[in-house]
């Protein structure tokens, strides 16, 4: 038996951001079909040259993905949602930490999310709720 639920989609996302989210939706969904090592390799290339995303930038990107896609807003849309949010941040020159891992409490299920400063962005769970298995963090530039 399933419990009926309504998806909460963010409102107030500007048109330009919604259009950009639609632009990255197809690549995000396509990436979600790749094996984890290939996703990590692609994201490792895409993140180059980006600055670390702020919490506001990451939340705005995540909200935009949920606003344009029911799949991303749904409970099983974590992988395309997190990939799309990371790619959307990259369009503006920033990069959050993209993560995939498992919940630390039973049932142990897989999950994908984005983080800023080691905190999941808008997941509604404590910071230590997930254990990372793969993370693609922003590349910090060496200081001279």
């Amino acid at each position: 038996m399933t419990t009926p639920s309504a998806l909460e989609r963010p409102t107030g996302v500007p048109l330009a951001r919604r259009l950009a989210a639609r632009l990255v939706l197809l690549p995000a969904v396509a990436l979600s079909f790749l094996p984890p090592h290939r996703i990590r390799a692609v994201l490792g290339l895409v993140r180059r040259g980006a600055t670390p995303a702020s919490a506001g930038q990451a939340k705005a990107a995540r909200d935009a993905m949920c606003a344009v896609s029911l799949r991303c807003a749904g409970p099983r849309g974590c992988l395309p949602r997190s990939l799309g949010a990371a790619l959307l941040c990259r369009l503006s020159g920033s990069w959050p930490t993209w993560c995939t891992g498992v919940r630390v409490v039973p049932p142990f299920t897989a999950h994908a999310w984005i983080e800023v400063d080691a905190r999941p962005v808008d997941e509604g769970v404590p910071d230590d709720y997930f254990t990372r298995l793969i993370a693609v963090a922003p590349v910090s530039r060496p200081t001279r």
Side-chain angles (χ1 to χ4, degrees):
M1 181 174 210
T2 60
T3 304
S5 64
L7 297 177
E8 290 186 32
R9 294 176 76 181
T11 58
V13 178
L15 177 62
R17 181 153 299 263
R18 287 195 319 266
L19 291 174
R22 287 198 184 273
L23 178 71
V24 300
L25 182 60
L26 184 59
V29 170
L31 274 173
S32 73
F33 288 105
L34 295 177
H37 71 279
R38 296 231 190 247
I39 294 173
R40 182 191 314 192
V42 169
L43 294 182
L45 291 173
V46 171
R47 73 178 172 181
R48 290 184 182 176
T51 61
S54 69
Q57 289 171 319
K59 183 179 179 342
R62 186 184 189 283
D63 286 351
M65 294 309 298
C66 292
V68 301
S69 169
L70 282 174
R71 179 178 186 170
C72 289
R76 296 184 183 215
C78 64
L79 186 55
R81 175 177 59 237
S82 64
L83 290 167
L87 294 173
L88 190 54
C89 281
R90 183 61 187 99
L91 281 181
S92 64
S94 64
W95 187 260
T97 300
W98 177 83
C99 304
T100 186
V102 295
R103 290 194 301 195
V104 295
V105 294
F108 300 103
T109 58
H111 189 60
W113 67 98
I114 56 172
E115 290 182 352
V116 173
D117 298 328
R119 301 186 75 162
V121 174
D122 209 26
E123 291 292 330
V125 297
D127 295 347
D128 60 352
Y129 192 75
F130 301 113
T131 295
R132 290 185 193 177
L133 297 176
I134 299 173
V136 181
V139 177
S140 59
R141 294 188 175 127
T143 56
R144 296 183 192 203

